[in-house]
Amino acid sequence: KAGVTQTPRYLIKTRGQQVTLSCSPISGHRSVSWYQQTPGQGLQFLFEYFSETQRNKGNFPGRFSGRQFSNSRSEMNVSTLELGDSALYLCASSWTGEDQPQHFGDGTRLSIL
Amino acid sequence: SQQGEEDPQALSIQEGENATMNCSYKTSINNLQWYRQNSGRGLVHLILIRSNEREKHSGRLRVTLDTSKKSSSLLITASRAADTASYFCATDPKPQGAQKLVFGQGTRLTINP
């Protein structure tokens, strides 16, 4: 069974631009969560989607948004990019998201110039 | 913010030795999970232990959970070079607030041949 797939793997943007990252969960998984990983702040939860609805949201500004499609694939968007948005963005999926292990993709490395 | 604190931050041992990593957390939890991350890759789920469990085994891994002390430990026995990675504990808080999974800062484990 294919794992969680994130595209693209690497991305370079400049300040003020916007970016869209994509995540395809494991087949049958309906919960998709996004995390940001930086050397300074570590792993921080962005949001979770389940059946096309945002179920949980972390403490990030409104520039960070996401959505989930009917096939459970998810996208996250960051607008008006700032230097501090440089990070590894990780997507994780699970069957229902409740009391279950999360299966992570290899992430998208976003660099802001 | 990070709920979990891991100790030590870095650990270097010889191949064949045992490695022990500790995690402390602050709030009530549904479960606690351990993940491994190789450099530049996503997180790999190792073990999930629920709040009503005290110990769990998986191959060379042993995890303990003490909810009264709000702490957990991960023991890797008979370490191998391939175990070199960062290890993170993550708590699933109860009740679930803004955070889906709350990660510690991780322990960087190096196995020397």
Side-chain angles (χ1 to χ4, degrees), chain A residues 35 41-45 59 102 104, chain B residues 1-6 23-29 31-35 43 88-105:
Chain A
Y35 294 84
Q41 298 298 315
L43 279 152
Q44 294 188 289
F45 170 72
N59 298 321
Q102 301 290 300
F104 283 80
Chain B
S1 62
Q2 300 291 316
Q3 171 172 227
E5 291 185 7
E6 297 186 56
C23 168
S24 61
Y25 57 92
K26 298 175 184 173
T27 67
S28 296
I29 60 172
N31 65 65
L32 185 144
Q33 304 178 33
W34 284 90
Y35 289 83
L43 280 73
F88 295 89
C89 69
T91 52
D92 183 353
K94 180 170 67 173
Q96 193 167 82
Q99 296 295 318
K100 174 68 175 174
L101 280 181
V102 182
F103 283 86
Q105 291 286 2

Side-chain angles (χ1 to χ4, degrees), chain B residues 4 7 13 18 21 25 33-34 53 58 68 70-71 77 81 93 99 103 106 110:
Chain B
D7 170 52
I13 60 173
N18 296 342
M21 289 160 268
Y25 57 92
Q33 304 178 33
W34 284 90
E53 298 175 308
S58 176
S68 66
K70 291 186 168 61
S71 68
T77 60
Q99 296 295 318
F103 283 86
T110 302

Side-chain angles (χ1 to χ4, degrees), chain A residues 54-106:
Chain A
Q54 187 180 83
R55 189 160 67 174
N56 287 291
K57 188 177 190 305
N59 298 321
F60 277 80
R63 300 186 297 106
F64 292 82
S65 63
R67 59 178 176 168
Q68 186 181 34
F69 302 95
S70 58
N71 61 358
S72 293
R73 189 177 71 85
S74 177
E75 289 181 348
M76 68 163 281
N77 184 76
V78 188
S79 62
T80 319
L81 286 165
E82 300 176 359
L83 292 177
D85 297 334
S86 294
L88 179 65
Y89 290 88
L90 294 163
C91 165
S93 74
S94 66
W95 293 105
T96 66
E98 299 291 337
D99 202 25
Q100 294 171 349
Q102 301 290 300
H103 300 267
F104 283 80
D106 280 337

Side-chain angles (χ1 to χ4, degrees), chain B residues 4 12 27 30 34 61 64 68 77 84-85 98-99 107:
Chain B
S12 181
T27 67
N30 291 307
W34 284 90
L61 308 180
T64 62
S68 66
T77 60
T84 294
Q99 296 295 318
T107 293

Side-chain angles (χ1 to χ4, degrees), chain B residues 47-91:
Chain B
I47 288 185
L48 181 153
I49 185 166
R50 292 190 168 82
S51 60
N52 61 351
E53 298 175 308
R54 292 296 166 258
E55 188 171 310
K56 212 162 183 179
H57 296 256
S58 176
R60 294 183 296 112
L61 308 180
R62 172 178 168 255
V63 167
T64 62
L65 178 64
D66 187 335
T67 53
S68 66
K69 295 181 180 178
K70 291 186 168 61
S71 68
S72 174
S73 68
L74 169 67
L75 168 67
I76 303 174
T77 60
S79 63
R80 304 167 182 170
D83 294 329
T84 294
S86 291
Y87 291 81
F88 295 89
C89 69
T91 52

